[in-house]
């Protein structure tokens, strides 16, 4: 199925979104609120966002749904707001600061206080008062609370090599009118799937016989946004992050791995088939590299089943 490219040229921005690094604005259409986000030119950010959104569909992970978009000559993506009218997205940095007054809410990167241990402890606290997203239809029965769902987000990050789950890229949604609080669907996966790798580098890694240069080596080097608490602090790799998180709720983690196990090579390949390569600027090498990366990460994730 080809992907739609939604033309929003001529749309008047209602509000510019200040958070995040990319240029973006909110606009209303047919009583719904959408965010247009413009990936930086030639970075692959747009296709990484849309493809990751389709991977979430395969895993039935609640997520912001992204489509390609054109705004005049600018290429970007659009997504409907995950925050219902009257609701508020409370980002992780705000939550972390409530538990630790010294937490630096402004420091998105190189934030050593953003430790996996701290974040998991926060999620255990959040799980006492917050629920799963109320519209999420197909939660595995073993996933019962925000911590269990967040373990799914961490598995997703490892699968797509997302290195950007910093403290403004997840949070909880509070709806005071309905007296509900729940973990927000996952959003912002534009820094994933090796989108930043050059075609020359991809070609080299896809064809080399040098075991130190392969796509698997790239996969092994994937770092999550979370730090270890040891000295000196270091960022954990994506698989180690999942391994540690999984131990907090092994039933939920195994349910996520079961879902992952059902994803076939064909279904991953199919996701890339409908991307209009001329408009969206995804090269054949980018597709081959991203597919291999996903399949390698899938195998690496499944292989730790016994350990959790
Ligand atoms: N679908 C959505 N619904 C509600 N709020 C959203 C949605 N998508 C993004 N946001 C809000 O907009 C902010 C910026 O969006 P996003 O994280 O996608 O931008 P970015 O520029 O890619 O960020 P980064 O600097 O992390 O790469 C988010 O932190 C969140 O507060
Ligand atoms: Mg972001």
């Amino acid at each position: 199925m080809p992907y739609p490219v939604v033309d929003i040229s001529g749309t008047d921005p209602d509000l510019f979104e200040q958070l995040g690094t990319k240029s973006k604005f909110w606009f209303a259409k047919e009583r719904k609120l959408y965010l247009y986000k413009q990936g930086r030119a030639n970075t692959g950010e747009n296709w990484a966002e849309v493809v990751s959104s389709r991977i979430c569909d395969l895993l039935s992970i609640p997520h912001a749904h992204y489509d390609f978009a054109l705004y005049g000559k600018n290429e970007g993506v659009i997504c409907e707001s995950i925050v219902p009218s009257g609701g508020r997205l409370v980002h992780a940095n705000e939550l972390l600061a409530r538990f630790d007054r010294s937490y630096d809410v402004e420091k998105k990167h190189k934030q050593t206080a953003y430790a996996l241990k701290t974040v998991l402890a926060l999620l255990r606290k959040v799980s006492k008062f917050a629920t799963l997203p109320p519209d999420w239809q197909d939660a595995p029965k073993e996933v019962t609370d925000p911590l269990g769902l967040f373990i799914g987000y961490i598995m997703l990050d490892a699968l797509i090599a997302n290195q950007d789950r910093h403290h403004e890229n997840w949070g909880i949604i509070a709806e005071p009118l309905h007296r509900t609080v729940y973990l927000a669907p996952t959003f912002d996966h534009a820094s994933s799937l090796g989108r930043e790798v050059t075609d020359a580098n991809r070609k080299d890694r896809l064809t080399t016989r040098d075991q130190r240069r392969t796509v698997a080596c790239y996969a092994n080097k994937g770092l999550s946004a979370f730090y270890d608490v040891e000295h000196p602090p270091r960022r954990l790799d994506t698989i180690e992050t999942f391994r540690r998180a999984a131990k907090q709720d092994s039933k939920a983690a195994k349910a996520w791995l079961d879902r992952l196990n059902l994803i076939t090579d064909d279904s991953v390949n199919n996701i890339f088939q409908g991307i209009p390569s001329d408009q969206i600027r995804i090269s054949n090498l980018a597709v081959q590299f991203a597919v291999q990366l996903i399949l390698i990460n899938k195998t690496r994730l499944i292989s730790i089943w016994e350990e959790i």
Side-chain angles (χ1 to χ4, degrees):
M1 263 275 283
Y3 287 83
V5 181
V6 185
D7 193 340
I8 61 155
S9 307
T11 300
D12 282 329
D14 289 325
L15 182 72
F16 287 94
E17 172 61 58
Q18 304 299 329
L19 289 183
T21 44
K22 290 157 213 92
S23 142
K24 60 183 88 58
F25 62 79
W26 292 97
F27 64 97
K29 194 177 150 197
E30 290 159 8
R31 300 171 68 86
K32 287 181 177 169
L33 192 59
Y34 293 88
L35 180 68
Y36 166 75
K37 171 162 110 163
Q38 198 167 292
R40 290 164 295 175
N42 304 317
T43 59
E45 285 167 341
N46 296 329
W47 66 254
E49 195 76 91
V50 174
V51 166
S52 300
S53 167
R54 301 310 188 270
I55 303 269
C56 289
D57 287 333
L58 283 185
L59 291 164
S60 297
I61 288 183
H63 65 98
H65 176 94
Y66 293 89
D67 280 316
F68 292 115
L70 269 182
Y71 180 57
K73 288 189 176 156
N74 302 307
E75 296 163 2
V77 295
I78 55 166
C79 61
E80 192 182 329
S81 176
I82 52 170
V83 184
S85 156
R88 184 166 97 83
L89 174 61
V90 184
H91 294 97
N93 53 353
E94 201 178 321
L95 296 169
L96 287 161
R98 271 187 216 174
F99 292 113
D100 171 8
R101 278 167 183 251
S102 68
Y103 188 81
D104 184 350
V105 292
E106 302 296 336
K107 201 170 172 188
K108 258 188 349 190
H109 297 288
K110 300 195 176 156
Q111 164 70 283
T112 52
Y114 191 57
L116 181 64
K117 216 172 166 179
T118 310
V119 169
L120 293 173
L122 169 66
L123 276 150
R124 273 196 302 275
K125 286 181 186 141
V126 164
S127 292
K128 290 192 178 138
F129 63 85
T131 65
L132 299 173
D135 292 342
W136 187 26
Q137 304 292 348
D138 38 13
K141 68 175 188 325
E142 297 82 356
V143 175
T144 55
D145 60 14
L147 174 64
L149 175 53
F150 196 77
I151 291 171
Y153 295 175
I154 289 181
M155 185 187 80
L156 169 76
D157 291 343
L159 183 68
I160 62 174
N162 176 24
Q163 319 205 355
D164 204 30
R165 193 165 296 278
H166 59 66
H167 63 202
E168 274 173 4
N169 275 345
W170 66 277
I172 58 174
I173 294 175
E175 287 190 70
L177 281 178
H178 297 105
R179 293 174 178 257
T180 51
V181 183
Y182 50 91
L183 187 66
T186 182
F187 58 89
D188 191 1
H189 313 106
S191 292
S192 62
L193 298 167
R195 59 115 193 117
E196 79 292 354
V197 182
T198 62
D199 268 359
N201 191 322
R202 287 182 180 120
K203 188 171 181 190
D204 188 28
R205 289 183 185 273
L206 285 160
T207 52
T208 185
R209 289 182 183 196
D210 180 350
Q211 290 309 309
R212 293 160 305 174
R213 297 270 315 142
T214 57
V215 182
C217 287
Y218 175 90
N220 281 334
K221 287 192 192 134
L223 295 181
S224 81
F226 304 105
Y227 279 82
D228 198 353
V229 280
E230 52 178 51
H231 291 284
R234 62 177 179 115
R235 274 168 73 195
L236 290 163
D237 73 62
T238 51
I239 298 285
E240 180 61 15
T241 301
F242 178 71
R243 186 186 281 114
R244 292 188 187 190
K247 288 186 178 155
Q248 303 292 312
D249 184 346
S250 56
K251 282 188 183 151
K254 286 186 168 175
W256 285 118
L257 287 177
D258 283 344
R259 281 214 170 158
L260 177 60
N261 208 16
L262 293 176
I263 292 185
T264 62
D265 294 12
D266 276 354
S267 59
V268 174
N269 271 298
N270 284 342
I271 285 184
F272 289 85
Q273 292 317 311
I275 304 180
S277 55
D278 47 338
Q279 257 172 327
I280 306 301
R281 299 176 212 292
I282 184 169
S283 64
N284 285 335
L285 285 164
V287 171
Q288 285 173 46
F289 186 89
V291 168
Q292 237 191 70
L293 184 60
I294 293 169
L295 297 178
I296 288 168
N297 283 333
K298 177 187 162 190
T299 306
R300 294 167 75 216
L301 281 160
I302 303 282
S303 74
I304 63 172
W305 167 276
E306 296 298 338
E307 292 174 42
I308 55 181

